[in-house]
Amino acid sequence: MATIGILGGGQLARMLALAGAPLGHRFLVVDTAEDACAAQVAPLLRADWRDDEALDAFAARVDVVTFDFENVPAETAQRLTARAPVFPNPAALATAQDRFAEKTLFRAIGLDTPAFATVDTRDELAQAVQAIGLPSVLKTRRLGYDGKGQFVLRSEADLDKAWALLGGHALILEQFIPFDFEVSIVAVRSRSGEFRHYPVTRNWHRDGILSASLAPFAAPSVEAQAVQHAHALAERLDYVGVFALELFVHGERLLGNEMAPRVHNSGHWTIEGTACSQFENHVRAVLGLPLGDTAALGRSVMLNWIGELPDANVVLSTPRAHWHDYGKSPREGRKVGHATVCADGAASLAKVLRGLGASLGREAQVAPVIEALDAAG
Ligand code: AMP
């Protein structure tokens, strides 16, 4: 029996603890919020990332430290390495926290990216737009998630607006990619270097937040390239644990958007859709245990509940649909739960989704997924 310390007490920590408990392991979660939703299933230590004394006490109580939140300061992670093994390692975390370092690494492993340039001044913004062209996307290098801290520049007039909003932060300008669709690959590397990956997942976003994921998303050429890049990233970073690589598919091009150094929302379907979920495999990886089977059992769709939960009973009474309520209070833009629907094939999954979407009044959310399933045959 080991105790796993998790920095961050949100739904990802909650699902890690729920996956690790059957293996006989315990968890200790650090969060500033008393109502952190992981605290409903694991002990909570209330502390700030900068509270060295509290974090030392935390490290003394755990066998290994990991994260549910990628923006834990890399210095905090680094400091903890003196007291407990920390996975993923702080250097990998630091790379994934900085969009410039991340995209530079993508290029170094041979993964194509949108053209990009750092921007620290208004003059540099003008120069970068000159070099990259319009439309383009201005993003904060750090602390951005779910489309926050971003501005799409469509005309010269947008430069001042974007600068008024984001100027003062370290920024990156990226070429806007009119992609066909977005995919991600969730992969895992263990302390012994064993590597596994889940099938490539197709993702749909609304207002910058993940709305739905479909897996496996059959496209053999994309799958092979995504696996190769995920493996190269894991090796280059000496990465231990689960991570997600988010990619744009544009014609024949596959471009790296970002990597998440943690279990990922686009991998929630693996709880019911595979033999060993991303959460269990993360626990196994950081403890140095053999990794579990990542193959998909049929097809799965995950629907995110943003802001508020729909009617649970509709999902609970749908065969092979699984309800997840994170125990959070409703708030606009907040991820409060999800559902995963599994089926043997595309046609049966589309049928269940159509019924579920209508009963929940969520037709718009399921429509693009049904369209993709219908196209897949
Ligand atoms: P990010 O926080 O970088 O993942 O961006 C959030 C979402 O904005 C992505 O999932 C895309 O839908 C969109 N986006 C981000 N960067 C670009 C880009 N360079 N070109 C087109 N769309 C983008």
Side-chain angles (χ1 to χ4, degrees), residues 312-369:
N313 288 347
V314 171
V315 176
L316 292 171
S317 53
T318 302
R320 299 188 67 187
H322 304 271
W323 178 253
H324 294 260
D325 175 345
Y326 304 152
K328 292 161 119 181
S329 45
R331 192 199 300 152
E332 204 190 323
R334 195 178 205 199
K335 292 175 179 171
V336 290
H338 75 266
T340 298
V341 189
C342 304
D344 293 332
S348 50
L349 190 50
K351 188 164 175 246
V352 178
L353 269 190
R354 209 170 265 120
L356 196 60
S359 306
L360 293 172
R362 301 263 178 159
E363 290 90 343
Q365 188 175 3
V366 300
V369 188

Coordinates of all heavy atoms in Angstrom, one line a residue, residues 312-369:
A312 N -30.0 13.6 -14.4 CA -29.2 12.3 -14.2 C -30.0 11.1 -14.6 O -29.4 10.1 -15.2 CB -28.7 12.2 -12.8
N313 N -31.3 11.1 -14.3 CA -32.1 9.9 -14.5 C -32.2 9.4 -15.9 O -32.3 8.2 -16.2 CB -33.5 10.0 -13.9 CG -33.4 10.0 -12.4 OD1 -32.4 9.7 -11.8 ND2 -34.5 10.5 -11.7
V314 N -32.1 10.4 -16.8 CA -32.1 10.1 -18.2 C -30.9 9.3 -18.6 O -31.0 8.2 -19.3 CB -32.2 11.4 -19.1 CG1 -32.0 11.0 -20.6 CG2 -33.5 12.1 -18.9
V315 N -29.8 9.7 -18.1 CA -28.5 9.0 -18.4 C -28.5 7.6 -17.7 O -28.1 6.6 -18.2 CB -27.3 9.8 -18.0 CG1 -26.0 9.1 -18.2 CG2 -27.2 11.1 -18.8
L316 N -28.9 7.6 -16.4 CA -28.9 6.4 -15.6 C -29.8 5.3 -16.2 O -29.6 4.1 -16.0 CB -29.3 6.7 -14.1 CG -28.3 7.6 -13.4 CD1 -28.9 8.0 -12.0 CD2 -27.0 6.8 -13.2
S317 N -30.9 5.8 -16.9 CA -31.8 4.7 -17.5 C -31.4 4.4 -18.9 O -32.2 3.6 -19.6 CB -33.2 5.2 -17.3 OG -33.4 6.5 -17.9
T318 N -30.3 4.9 -19.4 CA -29.8 4.6 -20.8 C -28.8 3.4 -20.7 O -27.8 3.6 -20.0 CB -29.2 5.8 -21.4 OG1 -30.1 6.9 -21.5 CG2 -28.7 5.5 -22.9
P319 N -29.1 2.3 -21.4 CA -28.1 1.2 -21.3 C -26.7 1.6 -21.8 O -26.5 2.4 -22.7 CB -28.7 0.2 -22.3 CG -30.1 0.5 -22.5 CD -30.2 2.0 -22.3
R320 N -25.7 1.2 -21.0 CA -24.3 1.4 -21.3 C -23.9 2.9 -21.3 O -23.0 3.3 -21.9 CB -23.8 0.7 -22.6 CG -24.0 -0.8 -22.5 CD -23.4 -1.5 -23.6 NE -21.9 -1.4 -23.7 CZ -21.1 -1.9 -24.6 NH1 -21.7 -2.5 -25.7 NH2 -19.8 -1.8 -24.6
A321 N -24.7 3.7 -20.6 CA -24.4 5.1 -20.4 C -23.9 5.2 -18.9 O -24.5 4.6 -18.0 CB -25.6 6.0 -20.6
H322 N -22.9 6.0 -18.6 CA -22.3 6.1 -17.3 C -22.3 7.6 -16.8 O -21.8 8.4 -17.6 CB -20.9 5.5 -17.3 CG -20.9 4.2 -17.8 ND1 -21.0 3.1 -17.0 CD2 -20.7 3.7 -19.1 CE1 -20.9 2.0 -17.8 NE2 -20.8 2.3 -19.0
W323 N -22.8 7.8 -15.7 CA -23.0 9.1 -15.1 C -21.9 9.5 -14.2 O -21.5 8.7 -13.3 CB -24.3 9.1 -14.4 CG -24.7 10.4 -13.7 CD1 -24.7 10.7 -12.4 CD2 -25.1 11.6 -14.3 NE1 -25.1 12.0 -12.1 CE2 -25.4 12.6 -13.3 CE3 -25.3 12.0 -15.7 CZ2 -25.8 13.9 -13.6 CZ3 -25.8 13.3 -15.9 CH2 -26.0 14.2 -14.9
H324 N -21.3 10.7 -14.3 CA -20.3 11.2 -13.4 C -20.6 12.6 -13.0 O -20.7 13.5 -13.8 CB -18.9 11.2 -14.2 CG -18.4 9.9 -14.5 ND1 -17.4 9.2 -13.8 CD2 -18.7 9.1 -15.6 CE1 -17.2 8.0 -14.4 NE2 -17.9 7.9 -15.4
D325 N -20.9 12.7 -11.7 CA -21.2 14.0 -11.0 C -20.0 14.3 -10.1 O -19.7 13.5 -9.2 CB -22.5 13.8 -10.2 CG -22.8 15.1 -9.4 OD1 -22.0 15.9 -9.2 OD2 -24.0 15.1 -8.9
Y326 N -19.3 15.4 -10.4 CA -18.1 15.7 -9.7 C -18.3 16.3 -8.3 O -17.3 16.5 -7.5 CB -17.2 16.7 -10.4 CG -16.8 16.2 -11.9 CD1 -16.6 17.1 -12.9 CD2 -16.7 14.9 -12.2 CE1 -16.2 16.7 -14.2 CE2 -16.4 14.4 -13.5 CZ -16.1 15.4 -14.5 OH -15.8 15.0 -15.7
G327 N -19.6 16.4 -7.9 CA -19.9 17.0 -6.6 C -19.5 18.4 -6.4 O -19.2 18.9 -5.4
K328 N -19.6 19.2 -7.5 CA -19.2 20.6 -7.5 C -20.5 21.5 -7.6 O -21.5 21.0 -8.2 CB -18.4 21.0 -8.7 CG -17.0 20.4 -8.7 CD -16.4 20.4 -10.1 CE -15.1 21.2 -10.2 NZ -14.6 21.2 -11.6
S329 N -20.5 22.7 -7.1 CA -21.6 23.5 -7.2 C -21.6 24.1 -8.6 O -20.6 24.3 -9.2 CB -21.7 24.6 -6.1 OG -20.4 25.2 -6.0
P330 N -22.9 24.3 -9.2 CA -22.9 24.8 -10.6 C -22.4 26.2 -10.7 O -22.5 27.0 -9.8 CB -24.4 24.8 -10.9 CG -25.1 24.5 -9.6 CD -24.2 24.1 -8.6
R331 N -21.7 26.5 -11.8 CA -21.2 27.8 -12.1 C -20.9 27.9 -13.5 O -20.4 26.9 -14.1 CB -19.9 28.1 -11.3 CG -19.5 29.6 -11.3 CD -18.0 29.7 -10.9 NE -17.6 29.3 -9.6 CZ -16.4 28.8 -9.3 NH1 -15.5 28.8 -10.2 NH2 -16.1 28.4 -8.1
E332 N -21.2 29.0 -14.2 CA -21.0 29.2 -15.6 C -19.5 28.8 -16.0 O -18.6 29.2 -15.4 CB -21.3 30.6 -16.0 CG -21.7 30.7 -17.5 CD -21.7 32.1 -18.0 OE1 -22.2 33.0 -17.2 OE2 -21.3 32.4 -19.1
G333 N -19.4 28.0 -17.0 CA -18.1 27.6 -17.6 C -17.4 26.6 -16.8 O -16.3 26.2 -17.1
R334 N -18.0 26.1 -15.7 CA -17.3 25.1 -14.8 C -17.6 23.7 -15.2 O -18.8 23.4 -15.6 CB -17.8 25.3 -13.4 CG -17.0 24.7 -12.3 CD -17.5 25.0 -11.0 NE -16.5 24.9 -9.9 CZ -16.7 24.8 -8.7 NH1 -18.0 24.7 -8.2 NH2 -15.7 24.7 -7.8
K335 N -16.6 22.8 -15.2 CA -16.8 21.4 -15.6 C -17.4 20.7 -14.3 O -16.7 20.6 -13.3 CB -15.5 20.7 -16.0 CG -15.0 21.2 -17.3 CD -13.7 20.6 -17.7 CE -13.2 21.2 -19.0 NZ -11.8 20.8 -19.3
V336 N -18.7 20.4 -14.4 CA -19.3 19.8 -13.2 C -19.6 18.3 -13.3 O -20.0 17.7 -12.3 CB -20.7 20.6 -12.8 CG1 -20.4 22.0 -12.3 CG2 -21.6 20.6 -14.0
G337 N -19.4 17.7 -14.4 CA -19.6 16.3 -14.6 C -19.5 15.9 -16.0 O -19.2 16.7 -16.9
H338 N -19.6 14.6 -16.3 CA -19.7 14.1 -17.7 C -20.4 12.8 -17.7 O -20.8 12.2 -16.7 CB -18.2 13.9 -18.2 CG -17.5 12.7 -17.7 ND1 -16.7 12.8 -16.6 CD2 -17.5 11.4 -18.2 CE1 -16.2 11.6 -16.4 NE2 -16.6 10.7 -17.3
A339 N -20.7 12.4 -18.9 CA -21.3 11.0 -19.1 C -20.5 10.4 -20.2 O -20.1 11.0 -21.2 CB -22.8 11.1 -19.5
T340 N -20.4 9.1 -20.1 CA -19.8 8.3 -21.2 C -20.8 7.3 -21.7 O -21.4 6.6 -20.8 CB -18.5 7.6 -20.7 OG1 -17.5 8.6 -20.3 CG2 -17.9 6.8 -21.8
V341 N -21.0 7.2 -23.0 CA -21.8 6.2 -23.6 C -21.0 5.3 -24.4 O -20.2 5.7 -25.2 CB -22.9 6.9 -24.5 CG1 -23.9 5.9 -25.0 CG2 -23.6 8.1 -23.8
C342 N -21.2 4.0 -24.1 CA -20.4 2.9 -24.9 C -21.3 2.1 -25.7 O -22.5 1.9 -25.4 CB -19.7 2.0 -23.9 SG -18.6 2.9 -22.7
A343 N -20.8 1.6 -26.8 CA -21.5 0.7 -27.7 C -20.5 -0.1 -28.5 O -19.3 0.1 -28.5 CB -22.4 1.5 -28.7
D344 N -21.1 -1.2 -29.2 CA -20.2 -2.1 -29.9 C -19.7 -1.4 -31.2 O -18.6 -1.7 -31.7 CB -20.9 -3.4 -30.2 CG -21.1 -4.2 -28.9 OD1 -20.3 -4.0 -28.0 OD2 -22.1 -4.9 -28.8
G345 N -20.5 -0.6 -31.8 CA -20.2 0.0 -33.1 C -20.7 1.4 -33.3 O -21.5 1.9 -32.5
A346 N -20.3 2.0 -34.4 CA -20.7 3.4 -34.7 C -22.2 3.6 -34.8 O -22.8 4.5 -34.3 CB -20.0 3.8 -36.0
A347 N -22.9 2.6 -35.5 CA -24.3 2.8 -35.8 C -25.1 2.7 -34.5 O -26.0 3.5 -34.2 CB -24.8 1.8 -36.8
S348 N -24.8 1.7 -33.6 CA -25.5 1.6 -32.4 C -25.2 2.8 -31.4 O -26.1 3.2 -30.7 CB -25.2 0.3 -31.7 OG -23.8 0.1 -31.6
L349 N -24.0 3.3 -31.5 CA -23.7 4.4 -30.6 C -24.4 5.7 -31.1 O -25.0 6.4 -30.3 CB -22.1 4.7 -30.7 CG -21.6 5.7 -29.7 CD1 -22.0 5.4 -28.3 CD2 -20.0 5.6 -29.8
A350 N -24.5 5.9 -32.4 CA -25.2 7.0 -32.9 C -26.7 7.0 -32.5 O -27.3 8.0 -32.2 CB -25.1 7.1 -34.5
K351 N -27.3 5.8 -32.5 CA -28.7 5.6 -32.2 C -28.9 6.0 -30.7 O -29.8 6.8 -30.4 CB -29.1 4.2 -32.5 CG -30.5 3.9 -32.3 CD -30.9 2.6 -33.0 CE -32.4 2.3 -32.7 NZ -32.6 1.1 -31.8
V352 N -28.1 5.5 -29.9 CA -28.2 5.8 -28.4 C -28.0 7.3 -28.2 O -28.8 8.0 -27.4 CB -27.2 5.0 -27.6 CG1 -27.4 5.4 -26.1 CG2 -27.4 3.5 -27.7
L353 N -27.0 7.9 -28.9 CA -26.8 9.3 -28.7 C -27.9 10.2 -29.1 O -28.2 11.2 -28.5 CB -25.5 9.7 -29.5 CG -24.2 9.7 -28.8 CD1 -23.1 10.3 -29.7 CD2 -24.1 10.3 -27.5
R354 N -28.5 9.8 -30.2 CA -29.6 10.6 -30.8 C -30.8 10.6 -29.8 O -31.3 11.7 -29.5 CB -30.1 9.9 -32.1 CG -30.7 10.9 -33.1 CD -30.9 10.3 -34.4 NE -29.9 10.5 -35.4 CZ -29.1 9.6 -36.0 NH1 -29.4 8.3 -35.7 NH2 -28.2 9.9 -36.8
G355 N -31.1 9.5 -29.2 CA -32.1 9.4 -28.2 C -31.8 10.2 -26.9 O -32.6 11.0 -26.4
L356 N -30.5 10.1 -26.5 CA -30.1 10.7 -25.3 C -30.1 12.3 -25.5 O -30.6 13.0 -24.6 CB -28.6 10.3 -25.0 CG -28.1 10.5 -23.6 CD1 -28.9 9.9 -22.5 CD2 -26.6 10.0 -23.5
G357 N -29.6 12.7 -26.6 CA -29.5 14.2 -26.9 C -30.9 14.8 -26.9 O -31.1 15.8 -26.3
A358 N -31.9 14.0 -27.5 CA -33.3 14.6 -27.5 C -33.9 14.6 -26.1 O -34.5 15.6 -25.7 CB -34.1 13.7 -28.4
S359 N -33.7 13.5 -25.3 CA -34.3 13.4 -24.0 C -33.7 14.5 -23.0 O -34.3 15.0 -22.1 CB -34.0 12.1 -23.4 OG -34.5 11.1 -24.2
L360 N -32.4 14.8 -23.2 CA -31.7 15.8 -22.4 C -31.9 17.2 -22.9 O -31.5 18.1 -22.2 CB -30.2 15.4 -22.3 CG -29.8 14.1 -21.5 CD1 -28.3 13.9 -21.7 CD2 -30.2 14.2 -20.1
G361 N -32.4 17.4 -24.1 CA -32.4 18.7 -24.7 C -31.0 19.2 -25.1 O -30.7 20.4 -25.0
R362 N -30.2 18.2 -25.4 CA -28.8 18.5 -25.7 C -28.5 18.1 -27.2 O -27.4 17.6 -27.5 CB -27.8 17.8 -24.8 CG -28.0 18.0 -23.3 CD -27.0 19.1 -22.9 NE -27.3 19.4 -21.5 CZ -26.4 19.9 -20.7 NH1 -25.2 20.2 -21.1 NH2 -26.7 20.2 -19.4
E363 N -29.4 18.4 -28.1 CA -29.3 18.0 -29.5 C -28.0 18.6 -30.1 O -27.3 17.9 -30.8 CB -30.5 18.4 -30.3 CG -31.8 17.6 -30.0 CD -32.6 18.2 -28.9 OE1 -32.1 19.0 -28.2 OE2 -33.8 17.8 -28.8
A364 N -27.8 19.9 -29.8 CA -26.7 20.6 -30.4 C -25.3 20.0 -30.0 O -24.4 20.0 -30.8 CB -26.7 22.1 -30.0
Q365 N -25.3 19.5 -28.7 CA -24.0 18.9 -28.2 C -23.7 17.6 -28.9 O -22.5 17.3 -29.2 CB -24.1 18.8 -26.7 CG -22.8 18.4 -26.1 CD -22.8 18.3 -24.5 OE1 -23.9 18.5 -23.9 NE2 -21.7 18.0 -23.9
V366 N -24.7 16.8 -29.1 CA -24.5 15.5 -29.7 C -24.4 15.5 -31.3 O -23.9 14.5 -31.9 CB -25.5 14.4 -29.2 CG1 -25.5 14.3 -27.7 CG2 -26.9 14.7 -29.7
A367 N -25.0 16.5 -31.9 CA -25.1 16.5 -33.4 C -23.8 16.3 -34.1 O -23.8 15.4 -35.0 CB -25.8 17.8 -33.8
P368 N -22.7 17.0 -33.8 CA -21.5 16.8 -34.5 C -20.9 15.4 -34.3 O -20.3 14.8 -35.2 CB -20.5 17.9 -34.0 CG -21.1 18.3 -32.7 CD -22.6 18.1 -32.8
V369 N -21.1 14.8 -33.2 CA -20.6 13.5 -32.9 C -21.4 12.5 -33.7 O -20.8 11.5 -34.3 CB -20.7 13.1 -31.4 CG1 -20.0 11.8 -31.1 CG2 -20.2 14.2 -30.5

